Amino acid sequence: MCGIISYLGNRKNAGKLIVDGLKKLEYRGYDSFGFVEAVPSTSSGQRNGKFKLTKKVGKISEFPSSTFHFPLSNLALGHTRWATHGKVNRANAHPHLSADRKVAVIHNGIVENHAALRKELQKKGVQFASDTDTEVIPNLIAEFLKRGNLREAVRKTAKKLKGRFAFVAMVEGEKKLIAARNGSPLIVGIEKFFPKSDDRLISKIDGSAFFIASDVPAFLNFTRDVVYLDDGEMVEIEPSPKKDHFHAHFFEIENGDEIKKRVISIDWKAEKAEKGDFAHFMLKEIFEQKETIERALNQDERQIEKVAGLIRKSFGTFFIGCGTAGKVCATAEYLFAKIARRHVNVIFGSEFDTQEPFLTERTLLIAVSQSGETADVLEAYKIAKKRGVQTVGVVNTEGSSVARHSDVVLPVNAGMEKAVASTKATTAQLAILTLLAYAVAGKLDEGRQMLAEAASQINDLLNPRYSEHLEKIARKIKNVESLYIIGKAADYPMALEAAIKLQEVSYIHAEGFAAGELKHGPLALISRGTPLIAFVPTGEYRADVLSNVAEVQARGGRIIGVSAENDDLFDEWIRVPNVGNAQPIVNIIPIQLLAYHLAVLRKNNPDLPRNLAKSVTVK
Ligand code: G6P
């Protein structure tokens, strides 16, 4: 959901740094982009800090750097957009300038009261150039600047905004970056951090350059020293009295009081975020599942046992997640029932507020999130905290909001996932929830062994021949209008997840059902040649699911069986190993490959599907 990055420091190619950074953030939004560079004085002394604004519609990755002319500049900010308010066009692309063109702003989130603020500003004669909610921000700053300094103007502006937001501003002629956060992520990267002592909890940080971005990858090539801004906080970056140094200063939005922040050294590796020899990140990440599932199992035993203890003690455990993570959560209901004989509640992040009356200090909330920044999950956390609920985060992104606000964190360890459609994070999350169910049953070692065996089978399964087999099936069904997926027990949420995967990247209408539910309605949708993907178990439930498959076959459906054993009913057989309670993990992998090949055959970009974004930081 909108990627933002800004830079102030010693380097003189700020514009290029911003463009390179935006290319790394493209997964956040990719309908249009833009940046502003502050151009210092030339020999004729004419452009003292003047703004140079560039905006384009389209994906930034499709514009080579040679498209742009970068003037010498050490101060710039940029944005890659996922539209919320206003169509995709140049006018609505960020950065947005105030009507007097003195203030430039990039923003991620939604200003819920933008209509009222716009009216207020219009009454004062401000003319708007776009349909966005964002444009009120630079204009409010410009208004407050008439009566105060930049920090106060930004602080007062931030206080007026309702909704979740993160924005960065700069003013023509001032060597400053200033940013505020309330709900959407904002991270300060410090190039060449100069600590004054061992103490990393400081209110004024010295460095040779600073980045402020929505995500770490934007500046990972330059530094691993970061400060995470929390809600209600702002940061100001400006030149320090020391030559060639800059400093970052932190404040509260509410009253402007100075605050101390901790500088953290993160352990991310930049090279992991490149796609290497693979045609797309999605394919690379599918193949990485050879290792990631095993890595997910490498949990601190004490932490797993601690969470298992919390589940046992709780009066009501809720698993929450959104999108794919929500489907992962839905498997928990089946896994915990079967493995641990325990009932758990599952609900999408966006629906959690409906459960508020049932939350007490004995409730446990377990959030599953790849990014750790999904707004619907963070809103659920707010409610949980209010009610004294304990929280556990199963999160892939170190330092993310969910990770920082959870009482206990179980790291997913899948490494950075860049393709919008989640694959390796999904199976790693599934492995952790399965392990947790075993821990609750008091059988952690047994669970670990079973999952390690499954991981090694996945290692054997994921090879180019397997991928070719899926591509052949994709060729046969690439022009269908609709397809359906069924599964029973924990394979039912996997049928839902398979549907999401296929929808996201192939744009084919796909729907998942509980196997036994087809005959209660959806069977009417089956006609000659309609593909049905069926997760068919080998033991318990095989006969049940095969009867449901037969009902579809009898109506002309084309059956694609995902199973460890073939069957006469199958038109196509996708072989998977038999891995007991790890079956959902194994079953989803061929569907990820099928979705990938369908996307490529239908000429879609599987990494950046239309209308979507990797991390959704608005409600
Ligand atoms: C977005 C992404 C999905 C993802 C969901 C939850 O909608 O496009 O792929 O499953 O957010 O994201 P999270 O980061 O919380 O797992």
Side-chain angles (χ1 to χ4, degrees), residues 451-467:
L451 286 158
E453 174 58 24
S456 100
Q457 301 253 21
I458 288 166
N459 198 343
D460 296 343
L461 182 79
L462 269 169
N463 58 53
R465 258 177 303 116
Y466 196 62
S467 180

mmCIF file of all heavy atoms in Angstrom, residues 451-467:
data_model
loop_
_atom_site.group_PDB
_atom_site.id
_atom_site.type_symbol
_atom_site.label_atom_id
_atom_site.label_comp_id
_atom_site.label_asym_id
_atom_site.label_seq_id
_atom_site.Cartn_x
_atom_site.Cartn_y
_atom_site.Cartn_z
ATOM 1 N N LEU A 451 7.117 -32.691 10.766
ATOM 2 C CA LEU A 451 7.255 -31.551 9.858
ATOM 3 C C LEU A 451 8.616 -31.568 9.142
ATOM 4 O O LEU A 451 8.722 -31.187 7.970
ATOM 5 C CB LEU A 451 7.062 -30.234 10.627
ATOM 6 C CG LEU A 451 5.596 -29.962 10.987
ATOM 7 C CD1 LEU A 451 5.484 -29.004 12.168
ATOM 8 C CD2 LEU A 451 4.842 -29.390 9.784
ATOM 9 N N ALA A 452 9.641 -32.016 9.838
ATOM 10 C CA ALA A 452 10.974 -32.083 9.204
ATOM 11 C C ALA A 452 10.924 -33.093 8.060
ATOM 12 O O ALA A 452 11.498 -32.881 6.979
ATOM 13 C CB ALA A 452 12.027 -32.475 10.226
ATOM 14 N N GLU A 453 10.205 -34.185 8.281
ATOM 15 C CA GLU A 453 10.048 -35.201 7.228
ATOM 16 C C GLU A 453 9.304 -34.607 6.023
ATOM 17 O O GLU A 453 9.690 -34.775 4.863
ATOM 18 C CB GLU A 453 9.296 -36.403 7.833
ATOM 19 C CG GLU A 453 8.913 -37.498 6.876
ATOM 20 C CD GLU A 453 10.111 -38.108 6.123
ATOM 21 O OE1 GLU A 453 11.264 -38.035 6.618
ATOM 22 O OE2 GLU A 453 9.872 -38.624 5.016
ATOM 23 N N ALA A 454 8.243 -33.828 6.325
ATOM 24 C CA ALA A 454 7.475 -33.179 5.246
ATOM 25 C C ALA A 454 8.374 -32.206 4.483
ATOM 26 O O ALA A 454 8.335 -32.140 3.247
ATOM 27 C CB ALA A 454 6.278 -32.449 5.833
ATOM 28 N N ALA A 455 9.198 -31.460 5.229
ATOM 29 C CA ALA A 455 10.084 -30.480 4.574
ATOM 30 C C ALA A 455 11.037 -31.184 3.623
ATOM 31 O O ALA A 455 11.311 -30.704 2.519
ATOM 32 C CB ALA A 455 10.861 -29.695 5.630
ATOM 33 N N SER A 456 11.509 -32.340 4.032
ATOM 34 C CA SER A 456 12.453 -33.033 3.139
ATOM 35 C C SER A 456 11.724 -33.588 1.906
ATOM 36 O O SER A 456 12.258 -33.610 0.806
ATOM 37 C CB SER A 456 13.263 -34.079 3.913
ATOM 38 O OG SER A 456 12.745 -35.351 3.714
ATOM 39 N N GLN A 457 10.480 -33.979 2.065
ATOM 40 C CA GLN A 457 9.691 -34.439 0.904
ATOM 41 C C GLN A 457 9.427 -33.279 -0.058
ATOM 42 O O GLN A 457 9.387 -33.452 -1.270
ATOM 43 C CB GLN A 457 8.348 -35.000 1.375
ATOM 44 C CG GLN A 457 8.477 -36.147 2.332
ATOM 45 C CD GLN A 457 8.101 -37.467 1.672
ATOM 46 O OE1 GLN A 457 8.114 -37.588 0.454
ATOM 47 N NE2 GLN A 457 7.771 -38.450 2.480
ATOM 48 N N ILE A 458 9.232 -32.092 0.518
ATOM 49 C CA ILE A 458 8.987 -30.910 -0.325
ATOM 50 C C ILE A 458 10.260 -30.580 -1.104
ATOM 51 O O ILE A 458 10.220 -30.204 -2.283
ATOM 52 C CB ILE A 458 8.518 -29.713 0.541
ATOM 53 C CG1 ILE A 458 7.093 -29.974 1.012
ATOM 54 C CG2 ILE A 458 8.609 -28.391 -0.224
ATOM 55 C CD1 ILE A 458 6.603 -29.070 2.115
ATOM 56 N N ASN A 459 11.384 -30.776 -0.452
ATOM 57 C CA ASN A 459 12.667 -30.567 -1.109
ATOM 58 C C ASN A 459 12.776 -31.439 -2.372
ATOM 59 O O ASN A 459 13.199 -30.998 -3.436
ATOM 60 C CB ASN A 459 13.769 -30.922 -0.098
ATOM 61 C CG ASN A 459 15.089 -30.351 -0.492
ATOM 62 O OD1 ASN A 459 15.269 -29.963 -1.650
ATOM 63 N ND2 ASN A 459 16.016 -30.306 0.439
ATOM 64 N N ASP A 460 12.340 -32.697 -2.243
ATOM 65 C CA ASP A 460 12.402 -33.612 -3.401
ATOM 66 C C ASP A 460 11.370 -33.224 -4.475
ATOM 67 O O ASP A 460 11.616 -33.348 -5.665
ATOM 68 C CB ASP A 460 12.083 -35.061 -2.972
ATOM 69 C CG ASP A 460 13.124 -35.594 -2.016
ATOM 70 O OD1 ASP A 460 14.220 -34.983 -1.944
ATOM 71 O OD2 ASP A 460 12.844 -36.602 -1.334
ATOM 72 N N LEU A 461 10.217 -32.775 -3.990
ATOM 73 C CA LEU A 461 9.105 -32.501 -4.913
ATOM 74 C C LEU A 461 9.388 -31.307 -5.829
ATOM 75 O O LEU A 461 9.079 -31.327 -7.022
ATOM 76 C CB LEU A 461 7.862 -32.202 -4.064
ATOM 77 C CG LEU A 461 6.562 -31.933 -4.783
ATOM 78 C CD1 LEU A 461 5.956 -33.260 -5.229
ATOM 79 C CD2 LEU A 461 5.571 -31.229 -3.844
ATOM 80 N N LEU A 462 9.968 -30.266 -5.230
ATOM 81 C CA LEU A 462 10.144 -29.015 -5.968
ATOM 82 C C LEU A 462 11.326 -29.116 -6.928
ATOM 83 O O LEU A 462 12.457 -28.803 -6.577
ATOM 84 C CB LEU A 462 10.364 -27.868 -4.980
ATOM 85 C CG LEU A 462 9.102 -27.158 -4.527
ATOM 86 C CD1 LEU A 462 9.396 -26.235 -3.371
ATOM 87 C CD2 LEU A 462 8.450 -26.389 -5.669
ATOM 88 N N ASN A 463 11.047 -29.570 -8.135
ATOM 89 C CA ASN A 463 12.119 -29.633 -9.133
ATOM 90 C C ASN A 463 11.538 -29.170 -10.469
ATOM 91 O O ASN A 463 10.313 -29.055 -10.628
ATOM 92 C CB ASN A 463 12.697 -31.056 -9.215
ATOM 93 C CG ASN A 463 11.627 -32.066 -9.563
ATOM 94 O OD1 ASN A 463 10.907 -31.902 -10.551
ATOM 95 N ND2 ASN A 463 11.488 -33.100 -8.750
ATOM 96 N N PRO A 464 12.386 -28.861 -11.442
ATOM 97 C CA PRO A 464 11.877 -28.311 -12.707
ATOM 98 C C PRO A 464 10.858 -29.214 -13.396
ATOM 99 O O PRO A 464 9.907 -28.738 -14.007
ATOM 100 C CB PRO A 464 13.143 -28.159 -13.555
ATOM 101 C CG PRO A 464 14.255 -28.061 -12.562
ATOM 102 C CD PRO A 464 13.837 -28.879 -11.390
ATOM 103 N N ARG A 465 11.003 -30.545 -13.251
ATOM 104 C CA ARG A 465 10.051 -31.445 -13.923
ATOM 105 C C ARG A 465 8.643 -31.288 -13.355
ATOM 106 O O ARG A 465 7.648 -31.304 -14.066
ATOM 107 C CB ARG A 465 10.494 -32.903 -13.757
ATOM 108 C CG ARG A 465 11.165 -33.450 -15.030
ATOM 109 C CD ARG A 465 11.651 -34.857 -14.823
ATOM 110 N NE ARG A 465 12.574 -34.926 -13.684
ATOM 111 C CZ ARG A 465 12.355 -35.602 -12.554
ATOM 112 N NH1 ARG A 465 11.264 -36.313 -12.399
ATOM 113 N NH2 ARG A 465 13.235 -35.604 -11.571
ATOM 114 N N TYR A 466 8.588 -31.133 -12.048
ATOM 115 C CA TYR A 466 7.294 -30.953 -11.382
ATOM 116 C C TYR A 466 6.642 -29.660 -11.879
ATOM 117 O O TYR A 466 5.453 -29.623 -12.205
ATOM 118 C CB TYR A 466 7.511 -30.907 -9.866
ATOM 119 C CG TYR A 466 6.249 -31.099 -9.051
ATOM 120 C CD1 TYR A 466 5.520 -32.286 -9.127
ATOM 121 C CD2 TYR A 466 5.806 -30.106 -8.191
ATOM 122 C CE1 TYR A 466 4.370 -32.471 -8.367
ATOM 123 C CE2 TYR A 466 4.658 -30.284 -7.420
ATOM 124 C CZ TYR A 466 3.942 -31.472 -7.518
ATOM 125 O OH TYR A 466 2.801 -31.651 -6.761
ATOM 126 N N SER A 467 7.475 -28.621 -11.961
ATOM 127 C CA SER A 467 6.967 -27.334 -12.432
ATOM 128 C C SER A 467 6.465 -27.453 -13.876
ATOM 129 O O SER A 467 5.415 -26.909 -14.233
ATOM 130 C CB SER A 467 8.090 -26.296 -12.316
ATOM 131 O OG SER A 467 7.656 -25.058 -12.753
#
